[in-house]
Amino acid sequence: MKIYGLVLAAGLSSRMGNLKALLPLDGGSVLSNCVRSLLDGGASEVFVVTGYKADEVESEVRKLGINSVYNPDYEQGMFSSVITGIHALPDDASAFFVLPVDIPLVRSSTIRALTFDFNKSPSDILYPAFKGKRGHPPLISAKLIPEILQHDGNGGLRKILEKHDSNSRDKNMPDLGILHDLDTPEDYTTALRFSRNKRFPLLEECEALWELAETPEATQEHCKAVAKGACIITKALNAARQNGPLLDMNIVQSAALMHDVAKTRRNHEAIGGNLLAGYGFTGISEIVASHRDTKIDQNSPLTEKEMVFLADKFFKGTALISLKKRYEKTMCKWADDPEAAKAIGERQKRAENLLARYEDETKIRIIDLLSDQILVS
């Protein structure tokens, strides 16, 4: 099947005050982010529909090495750009994405999931959704092209899509970007902040990941407790650190929230890491994959990975527990298995060495720090 992408970049950008398509974003432009998501997600080719300030937009399109098509009727609204873009599609199109240029934060993993699902089981329309709310871009079957071209434009593309709702599907994804419009300068400021943090999930995306992975509620509460503890000990380490890099609190928090996302599965740490990497959250996937046990060179500074590892060892469910008692409970469980008991003892020793390194650097006992902070909050 051949799936193509249409990026609608013909609008006036009146509320933004600047041409949206060419605003800087994530090392490129708003337009290049849209194109990259579609191509990286599996679109065979992307066509950019231009209109307002076409020469400037087409100059960027040429740099990206893709195709553009001019819509002379762009002032009539977005549907005219949809028609222009559809006319440019090759005859072998099986389906096509429609992505307005002011939705530049869609993850390529979302496009990839939609492409895979459509190839496996075609439907008239496949929508990305975030926690049940539909977003952009819809993936539309080429079967609808004749009907779209014959439409009088009233109600725009949405009118056609609504008629086919009974043969459409939603694909839930942990991708808040599918809902983020870039209409105002304030929206652009949010997009800049979001794009800098794309390698790890935002809090709302963590909640969506729990839902998708069917993480038990009790496990979610444990993860929240570990995240709170991890942030507390990271803040103390940053305050005490004289040399070496300061740790990123956002990475610590999101990794801790996600560390047991796949808890119901065997080898849950590895599966959780793979799950996150598959969704594009590579900034925390390795931390999650190694939270059960961790090794660090004695001369290497403590990182976000060790903060999540340590915090996890101090919580049994949502209750504080000492490192010693945590491993005693595990050891009792496997007391009749000498090989398992040996492995647990080795992990305990590594954890105690790591704890000693932390407390030596901060001059603070973690159990005291967590007891004080958790009780007063």
Side-chain angles (χ1 to χ4, degrees):
M1 289 187 178
K2 284 293 187 73
I3 295 176
Y4 295 94
L6 299 179
V7 177
L8 310 182
L12 300 173
S13 302
S14 54
R15 281 186 287 173
M16 180 63 69
N18 292 292
L19 193 59
K20 294 178 188 177
L22 304 185
L23 290 171
L25 186 67
D26 196 20
S29 64
V30 166
L31 177 59
S32 71
N33 273 260
C34 292
V35 171
R36 186 168 63 233
S37 290
L38 290 168
L39 291 176
D40 290 351
S44 299
E45 198 171 351
V46 173
F47 298 84
V48 177
V49 182
T50 66
Y52 178 65
K53 294 190 176 180
D55 289 345
E56 295 179 37
V57 178
E58 287 171 2
S59 177
E60 175 73 357
V61 171
R62 286 192 294 273
K63 292 178 185 176
L64 298 173
I66 56 173
N67 302 292
S68 66
V69 54
Y70 177 68
N71 172 21
D73 301 318
Y74 66 89
E75 291 188 85
Q76 294 182 16
M78 188 176 291
F79 186 69
S80 66
S81 291
V82 172
I83 296 297
T84 300
I86 287 176
H87 278 302
L89 291 174
D91 293 336
D92 63 355
S94 299
F96 58 97
F97 289 101
V98 177
L99 181 61
V101 78
D102 57 2
I103 314 286
L105 299 176
V106 178
R107 298 178 184 277
S108 59
S109 55
T110 295
I111 302 299
R112 192 177 307 115
L114 293 170
T115 301
F116 179 84
D117 268 27
F118 186 89
N119 284 328
K120 184 179 179 181
S121 179
S123 59
D124 286 353
I125 311 144
L126 190 56
Y127 294 96
F130 181 77
K131 299 178 77 172
K133 185 175 182 180
R134 287 176 174 174
H136 285 88
L139 179 55
I140 304 169
S141 172
K143 294 191 305 182
L144 273 61
I145 287 178
E147 186 176 352
I148 295 172
L149 294 178
Q150 292 168 14
H151 183 47
D152 61 11
N154 288 328
L157 180 62
R158 180 177 296 178
K159 187 74 171 181
I160 300 294
L161 301 186
E162 287 175 348
K163 290 173 61 177
H164 292 266
D165 201 53
S166 61
N167 196 28
S168 68
R169 300 198 316 273
D170 293 354
K171 177 69 175 177
N172 280 305
M173 296 294 293
D175 185 358
L176 194 56
I178 69 170
L179 303 178
H180 187 77
D181 289 315
L182 201 64
D183 289 330
T184 66
E186 291 75 21
D187 294 334
Y188 177 55
T189 299
T190 299
L192 289 172
R193 185 170 62 252
F194 184 98
S195 67
R196 286 194 293 268
N197 299 331
K198 285 182 72 173
R199 293 172 57 249
F200 58 84
L202 302 174
L203 177 59
E204 292 159 287
E205 292 174 324
C206 287
E207 294 171 351
L209 282 159
W210 283 332
E211 185 176 330
L212 287 166
E214 299 181 340
T215 309
E217 186 173 343
T219 302
Q220 294 179 33
E221 293 304 313
H222 166 71
C223 290
K224 291 175 186 178
V226 171
K228 187 173 184 178
C231 288
I232 289 171
I233 66 174
T234 300
K235 183 178 180 181
L237 179 65
N238 280 344
R241 182 157 274 181
Q242 301 296 319
N243 299 303
L246 297 182
L247 305 188
D248 189 318
M249 297 285 288
N250 291 317
I251 290 177
V252 169
Q253 182 182 44
S254 61
L257 286 171
M258 289 291 96
H259 79 279
D260 274 349
V261 64
K263 186 65 174 180
T264 58
R265 308 280 293 277
R266 184 177 176 84
N267 297 322
H268 75 278
E269 61 276 8
I271 290 175
N274 289 335
L275 173 75
L276 292 163
Y279 283 124
F281 300 122
T282 55
I284 66 167
S285 55
E286 185 183 349
I287 299 176
V288 169
S290 62
H291 79 268
R292 182 167 172 263
D293 191 15
T294 190
K295 298 178 182 178
I296 182 173
D297 186 272
Q298 192 64 30
N299 297 318
S300 298
L302 301 179
T303 68
E304 292 88 355
K305 182 191 297 186
E306 287 74 47
M307 297 304 99
V308 174
F309 171 82
L310 280 174
D312 181 42
K313 300 303 173 284
F314 279 88
F315 286 91
K316 186 70 173 177
T318 58
L320 277 174
I321 188 171
S322 70
L323 193 70
K324 182 180 179 180
K325 287 184 178 180
R326 173 65 179 266
Y327 279 99
E328 281 178 353
K329 287 179 178 290
T330 307
M331 189 69 78
C332 287
K333 182 179 178 181
W334 296 97
D336 295 332
D337 187 333
E339 187 174 338
K342 180 182 178 182
I344 293 166
E346 291 172 349
R347 291 203 301 272
Q348 179 177 358
K349 185 175 180 179
R350 287 191 290 271
E352 289 171 344
N353 289 338
L354 190 59
L355 175 62
R357 282 193 58 185
Y358 176 92
E359 295 185 344
D360 181 63
E361 184 172 357
T362 61
K363 312 304 181 190
I364 298 172
R365 292 182 72 236
I366 282 186
I367 191 65
D368 293 340
L369 176 64
L370 292 178
S371 295
D372 290 343
Q373 294 286 333
I374 298 295
L375 286 174
V376 300
S377 57

